[in-house]
Amino acid sequence: MDPRDTAPDSWELEEDAEAPAAAAGLPAAFAALNVNAKPFVPNVNAPVFVPSFLQASAVEMPPSDGAPDPVASMEVAETVTVQSPLENGGTEADMTTEEETWEQKEEPGGGGGGGGQEDVGAGGGACEEGAARKEEEEMMEEEEEEMPMPKVSPAPPDAPKKEHVNVVFIGHVDAGKSTIGGQIMYLTGMVDKRTLEKYEREAKEKNRETWYLSWALDTNQEERDKGKTVEVGRAYFETEKKHFTILDAPGHKSFVPNMIGGASQADLAVLVISARKGEFETGFEKGGQTREHAMLAKTAGVKHLIVLINKMDDPTVNWSLERYEECKEKLVPFLKKVGFNPKKDIHFMPCSGLTGANLKDPVPECPWYTALPFIAHLDSLPNFTRSSDGPVRLPIVDKYKDMGTVILGKLESGCISKAQQLVMMPNRHTVEVLSLLSDDVETDDASPGENLKLRLKGIEEEEILPGFILCSPDNLCHSGRTFDAQIVIIEHKSIICPGYNAVLHIHTCIEEVQITALICLVDKKTGEKSKTRPRFVKQDQVCIARLRAAGVICLETFKDFPQMGRFTLRDEGKTIAIGKVLKLVPEKD
């Protein structure tokens, strides 16, 4: 039997069983009970005695207790046994040497417990200790059992107050996205100093000592060896008003599909730019990832963009205002072209990810930047509007087996609660939610915008693919293969004709599509549609086309549900077009 389970109960059992036994003159009926109780007592005393000889303070204990109260001393003993399997020697000793504990350590039992004992003195001291010790034990238990505790811990009551915001870090490879993410987690206390020192030692062994912060987010071996993020790293941190999930997207152009998956879950994008001479230019020129990422973030539905100009502490930059302004001037026209409004949607700020300058506290070396530092700025952003009364829509990002089928994804609309019946589209499997984890904390219900892990019943892990969607049974999402969409050709060398194949990225789903017909061209300025069908489209043109996917996919029209109606088309590792779904075409067969 697990002693942790019985700890709280045994208090009551102790008191209820012992007192009557002493009072009733132990008739034959109680004899049996006493036999049961006897094996308990020697066990209890044994661990108490060993430390008491070491410290010779248990000898002083009976007089301070006020001898007439045997139950209290029983309780003390009981506590120690309950603890001893769990604690290491040090704390067990603390428990027995209660004289010293109250003087030196007033925090663990709460100031009140300690003070109370001094006032009451010898007479009532015993019960006071009982209460305080109970309190202390509960605290110890909470520290120990991390997994089952979150239900009791005070997080759920204040969870709804904090708004969930998903932040994706995007930008060119080696701009410093993972390092900034790691630094933020350290500054907000999500990674402790010891872990970082360990990373620093390991990184030094590999001659990569400047990489240690990014290891907080780049967890697997391959990412650490090469120093490049591959999968979208996840972590979370909290400010006073909000709860943030960091999505650390890969910057390398081979992993753009992973980055799209990450950006599709984000409400807010942080575009990280390296101010170092030469690095900014390569990231921003035609082949760099800065342009592509900003555009993909916009297509994925990110409304607000924060541009962090990183590496300002570099010797070639040295917090110079000229360099900062130069980067800014080059970026603004491009971001405007992508569709961000420079006055409302974009916010520039200088920072240094490695030193942590201007992430949490303002920097003395940078007198010209007077606005809020990064974390404070995130906290001061206005709230996002989300429809919690809509139908449930949860696009699946990833799935794995762990005592059942576990899926990850961001809840786009609706609310999910435990034991709720949902339907997995497009396969129409009915599933039941066994448990909900929001940022690794178990909850009973979740509201839109939260990153969830759901354990499902009624479906095998093999039957799920990323891009499937969990819906409420009374309001299923649409699925199909053919749809009409308005697309903007962003970069493509030659012309695009019907019959052209590309890869479609829509919410978290990746599927091959073919453009089966071009319906009309749309004039960019006036929005007029051409009367005749175009034979082809080329770069920078907008057209309405009919697309047909290789398999059945889940999608909605952009008008009904924007998060599931935007998409990008990619081919040969480049983003060719962005678009929105106008209407779904029912299958003829």
Side-chain angles (χ1 to χ4, degrees), residues 327-391:
C327 297
K328 208 164 149 178
E329 275 161 26
K330 285 188 183 167
L331 281 165
V332 168
F334 167 70
L335 293 173
K336 209 163 166 181
K337 180 180 155 203
V338 171
F340 288 103
N341 176 348
K343 290 191 181 57
K344 287 191 298 195
D345 305 342
I346 311 179
H347 187 89
F348 284 87
M349 51 175 73
C351 78
S352 157
L354 190 62
T355 59
N358 207 23
L359 287 178
K360 195 178 182 189
D361 306 312
V363 224
E365 304 95 79
C366 181
W368 43 268
Y369 181 77
T370 50
L372 288 171
F374 179 63
I375 295 176
H377 176 76
L378 284 182
D379 204 26
S380 65
L381 289 172
N383 284 2
F384 293 91
T385 48
R386 295 202 176 94
S387 60
S388 52
D389 48 357

Side-chain angles (χ1 to χ4, degrees), residues 408-457:
L408 290 96
K410 174 187 159 198
L411 186 54
E412 292 287 4
S413 82
C415 290
I416 291 185
S417 52
K418 220 167 176 172
Q420 187 176 348
Q421 298 280 334
L422 297 167
V423 177
M424 180 78 69
M425 292 293 288
N427 289 357
R428 296 180 189 265
H429 275 288
T430 304
V431 296
E432 187 183 330
V433 180
L434 290 179
S435 65
L436 274 170
L437 289 160
S438 168
D439 281 326
D440 296 334
V441 177
E442 194 159 319
T443 54
D444 289 339
D445 39 29
S447 47
E450 292 188 38
N451 266 308
L452 301 178
K453 276 187 194 158
L454 300 181
R455 185 165 283 130
L456 300 180
K457 181 173 143 190

Side-chain angles (χ1 to χ4, degrees), residues 10 15 40 66 102 114 117 132 178 183 198 236 253 279 335 338-339 351 443 463 470 483 541 557:
S10 62
E15 284 163 7
F40 258 66
W102 295 123
Q117 196 196 345
S178 301
Q183 183 70 264
K198 183 177 125 227
Y236 50 91
K253 64 172 178 287
E279 280 192 17
L335 293 173
V338 171
C351 78
T443 54
E463 300 174 303
L470 269 186
F483 59 96
Q541 283 187 322
T557 62

Side-chain angles (χ1 to χ4, degrees), residues 62-73:
S64 78
D65 268 356
D69 196 357
V71 180
S73 51

Side-chain angles (χ1 to χ4, degrees), residues 228 230 250-259 289 292 570 573:
K228 292 185 177 60
V230 178
H252 203 279
K253 64 172 178 287
S254 324
F255 309 125
V256 169
N258 297 4
M259 178 256 147
Q289 259 42 59
E292 185 171 23
R570 288 176 52 87

